[in-house]
Amino acid sequence: MAVTPRPGTPRLLRALNDRAALELLLSRGPLTRAQLGEMTGLSKVTASQLVERLEERGLVTRVGEQAGGRGPNAQLYAVTPGSAHVVGVDFGPDRVVAACADITGTVIGRVELSTKDTDDPVGVVHAAVVQAASSAHAEMGTVRRVVLGTPGLVEPDTGDIRFAWDLPRWRHGLRDTLGEDLHLPIAFANDVNLAAIAEAHVGAARGVDDFLLLWAGRGVGLAVVLGGRLHQGSAGAAGEIGYLPVPGAPIPRDASKRNVKGPFQQLAGAEAVRMIGRDHGFRGASAVDVVRAAVAAGAKGGPFLDELAGRLALGVASAAIVLDPPMVVLAGEVGQAGGSALAERVQHEVAATTLVSPKVVVTEVTEEPVLQGALRTALDAVRDEVFGSTV
């Protein structure tokens, strides 16, 4: 019969020490046994036993030597990259991008597939995951988790999809179907929430406990981070700001229908951006092209940016006056294209119309933020499983 470790037992203490050593090896790079002992506060004997234990488990490996004073050179150890892998997936209506990372977080494989000519989400995800692992030369048996970023609602307690308005084939129960197909733990996550996770890890929100991320692109969305934790709400609907009732847009009575666009989406989504652009003399094949043209026009683009910022500020102000965050990150294709010129205008408008004045900054995660967030989420879960194991 298995015995549950109790606080203070040698087994639990070993597990805590192992986890601390592995985290140090990830964050500080290759280390000797003596360095691990110094940084963890363990004796030389205990540190040596720890390293031997981790070597036996295949979690650390020797990667070189460090010259010292007298005596033989000290062995350097690092986390074994191939001890586990994860796959992150960014799934949209036109394409799916999947990337495979080893347990150190290094992305070693990537694949991009079209989703336009298929109505089989299981087949597309299966192909993307397998091809991403194959391009990384990773055995599927070492892939421990897949996290899929998707627009729409995701149940916080199950990680299953509830509703994705522009992915009609994505239905509740898809997580279990994918898990059975790939024989892997699968979890969905809202795409904007994943972008916020990436922003907190490597972007403008590093070290910021409370912030909002406003995604302005094809659609509009909001992520809420409070106390360093993502807030998803009881049904996973926190941040679905496209449905926010705002002046100047009709309010639909059945928001769950796929062909219904929420008021704020009507006011500040990509179609609205193109319409504002036409009114101010800026045209383009996409909303991003319109915004870039306005920014490049300098002073002539000011009136367009003023109007767009005023609309985006309605959404920011509605959330900011309730949560009073110190920072709002402007992300998404449109937000990124608008840059500091748009962010500064949104900041000014929020401060002028509410009692709060959060700093509005442009995203610093410019490349595939949803995919980066998916990989980070998967890595955190797998490291907890692998590093926390006492086996």
Side-chain angles (χ1 to χ4, degrees), residues 24 56 64 78 83 101-102 106 144 155 166 193 202 217 288 318 329 339 388:
L24 279 170
E56 290 175 0
S83 57
D102 62 36
T106 302
R144 299 288 293 262
E155 292 178 343
D166 55 356
N193 286 343
V202 295
V288 172
S318 297
V329 179

Side-chain angles (χ1 to χ4, degrees), residues 152-244:
L153 300 186
V154 176
E155 292 178 343
D157 53 343
T158 68
D160 198 4
I161 190 78
R162 282 190 59 214
F163 173 78
W165 66 272
D166 55 356
L167 297 174
R169 296 289 180 179
W170 289 59
R171 307 177 187 277
H172 189 270
L174 183 58
R175 186 203 65 154
D176 291 341
T177 303
L178 286 169
E180 293 170 1
D181 175 74
L182 287 165
H183 305 289
L184 285 170
I186 306 289
F188 287 99
N190 175 267
D191 51 0
V192 179
N193 286 343
L194 290 178
I197 289 172
E199 204 72 51
H201 182 66
V202 295
R206 291 188 304 274
V208 181
D209 288 337
D210 300 336
F211 72 93
L212 305 177
L213 182 139
L214 177 68
W215 184 276
R218 181 172 53 89
V220 288
L222 187 80
V224 180
V225 175
L226 299 174
R229 297 174 63 87
L230 187 69
H231 178 72
Q232 301 179 71
S234 61
E240 289 294 333
I241 201 170
Y243 297 96
L244 179 73

Side-chain angles (χ1 to χ4, degrees), residues 22 34 63 74 100 129 134 136 141 164 169 223 308 329 344 349 351:
L22 288 164
V63 294
C100 179
V129 171
S134 177
R169 296 289 180 179
L308 177 57
V329 179
E344 290 169 3
E349 189 67 17

Side-chain angles (χ1 to χ4, degrees), residues 37-383:
E38 292 173 4
M39 293 179 184
T40 57
L42 300 174
S43 68
K44 291 182 180 181
V45 172
T46 303
S48 293
Q49 292 172 342
L50 177 151
V51 170
E52 291 173 3
R53 188 164 59 246
L54 294 177
E55 272 194 293
E56 290 175 0
R57 293 174 59 191
L59 296 180
V60 303
T61 187
R62 302 179 191 187
V63 294
E65 296 181 346
Q66 184 179 77
R70 298 177 180 178
N73 294 340
Q75 295 288 332
L76 284 167
Y77 296 87
V79 173
T80 306
S83 57
H85 296 90
V86 299
V87 174
V89 181
D90 180 4
F91 200 107
D94 298 322
R95 65 168 191 155
V96 55
V97 181
C100 179
D102 62 36
I103 201 166
T104 71
T106 302
V107 177
I108 52 178
R110 183 183 183 280
V111 65
E112 182 174 333
L113 303 174
S114 172
T115 59
K116 292 181 178 180
D117 300 325
T118 180
D119 58 0
D120 177 18
V122 175
V124 173
V125 172
H126 179 103
V129 171
V130 171
Q131 289 182 37
S134 177
S135 68
H137 303 290
E139 297 289 338
M140 285 300 296
T142 67
V143 177
R144 299 288 293 262
R145 183 172 294 265
V146 177
V147 173
L148 296 103
T150 175
L153 300 186
V154 176
E155 292 178 343
D157 53 343
T158 68
D160 198 4
I161 190 78
R162 282 190 59 214
F163 173 78
W165 66 272
D166 55 356
L167 297 174
R169 296 289 180 179
W170 289 59
R171 307 177 187 277
H172 189 270
L174 183 58
R175 186 203 65 154
D176 291 341
T177 303
L178 286 169
E180 293 170 1
D181 175 74
L182 287 165
H183 305 289
L184 285 170
I186 306 289
F188 287 99
N190 175 267
D191 51 0
V192 179
N193 286 343
L194 290 178
I197 289 172
E199 204 72 51
H201 182 66
V202 295
R206 291 188 304 274
V208 181
D209 288 337
D210 300 336
F211 72 93
L212 305 177
L213 182 139
L214 177 68
W215 184 276
R218 181 172 53 89
V220 288
L222 187 80
V224 180
V225 175
L226 299 174
R229 297 174 63 87
L230 187 69
H231 178 72
Q232 301 179 71
S234 61
E240 289 294 333
I241 201 170
Y243 297 96
L244 179 73
V246 291
I251 300 175
R253 304 304 299 177
D254 191 352
S256 64
K257 290 184 177 179
R258 294 187 182 277
N259 60 348
V260 172
K261 292 184 179 179
F264 189 55
Q265 172 69 25
Q266 297 174 48
L267 197 72
E271 291 182 13
V273 173
R274 288 195 294 270
M275 291 177 60
I276 301 170
R278 286 195 294 269
D279 293 342
H280 290 275
F282 297 102
R283 297 179 180 274
S286 68
V288 172
D289 293 333
V290 172
V291 175
R292 286 175 178 164
V295 172
K300 291 183 179 179
F304 164 82
L305 292 173
D306 288 341
E307 182 170 350
L308 177 57
R311 295 189 181 202
L312 292 175
L314 287 174
V316 174
S318 297
I321 195 63
V322 175
L323 301 172
D324 192 14
M327 175 183 286
V328 176
V329 179
L330 187 59
E333 302 90 344
V334 168
Q336 191 173 326
S340 59
L342 182 59
E344 290 169 3
R345 284 172 165 83
V346 173
Q347 177 174 314
H348 174 79
E349 189 67 17
V350 172
T353 56
T354 69
L355 298 176
V356 297
S357 54
K359 183 178 181 181
V360 180
V361 300
V362 184
T363 176
E364 293 180 5
V365 186
T366 58
E367 298 294 331
E368 300 183 321
V370 176
L371 190 63
Q372 289 194 49
L375 287 169
R376 173 52 46 186
T377 301
L379 280 167
D380 286 346
V382 168
R383 286 173 181 171

